[in-house]
Amino acid sequence: MKILHALMRFYSYLFTLFLSVFLTGFGAVAYLSGLHNWKIDTFIWTGEDLSKAMLLIGVLGGLSVLLAFFNIFRGLLPVMALAFFGLIVYGFFFQGYRFADAEAFQGTIALAVGALGSFLCSLMLFKRGR
């Protein structure tokens, strides 16, 4: 059972870290290039606010993984995993995003299920001893 809990925590770490690195990379490139005339249909922000939000969310997600991994502050990882899940669901399903085909829709469903799984697995951090 301990192995299963460890694997679930590891999955949560990896998924959150992957999304964090992705968002930090996009936000950093956009913010450092100074070109803020962009919009992504799945985010509620546009322009410079989008660059700052992606950078902030990505850094905060990476920090939450590090803090949880080193057992300093475990409560931030489930919050960030839930925020990622909320952003994915809201951005793709409630913003009126139009999918190119059924395969894109299935991929987005898989991403949302993966984010939900990451949140649920991050709750295993509270079973972990100090």
Side-chain angles (χ1 to χ4, degrees):
M1 197 62 152
K2 285 187 177 191
I3 293 174
L4 179 63
H5 288 183
L7 286 173
M8 291 171 75
R9 283 194 319 265
F10 186 67
Y11 170 73
S12 180
Y13 294 154
L14 281 180
F15 192 88
T16 306
L17 191 62
F18 173 75
L19 286 179
S20 298
V21 168
F22 182 75
L23 290 175
T24 302
F26 265 107
V29 167
Y31 196 75
L32 293 176
S33 69
L35 299 173
H36 302 292
N37 57 351
W38 63 310
K39 180 185 184 315
I40 299 177
D41 292 336
T42 57
F43 282 92
I44 57 176
W45 304 282
T46 58
E48 187 174 355
D49 291 338
L50 177 60
S51 303
K52 288 179 183 178
M54 288 179 88
L55 192 58
L56 180 69
I57 292 170
V59 167
L60 195 59
L63 185 66
S64 72
V65 171
L66 285 176
L67 290 175
F69 183 77
F70 289 114
N71 211 9
I72 297 171
F73 182 58
R74 296 182 284 183
L76 187 58
L77 184 64
V79 171
M80 286 307 301
L82 184 62
F84 283 144
F85 174 67
L87 281 172
I88 289 168
V89 168
Y90 181 76
F92 282 107
F93 301 113
F94 292 116
Q95 283 283 95
Y97 183 80
R98 301 198 44 97
F99 298 98
D101 54 6
E103 189 174 315
F105 178 71
Q106 291 170 351
T108 305
I109 292 289
L111 180 67
V113 168
L116 177 63
S118 174
F119 167 67
L120 294 175
C121 290
S122 71
L123 295 176
M124 289 293 122
L125 289 173
F126 296 117
K127 285 191 161 276
R128 182 174 152 191
R130 286 226 171 248

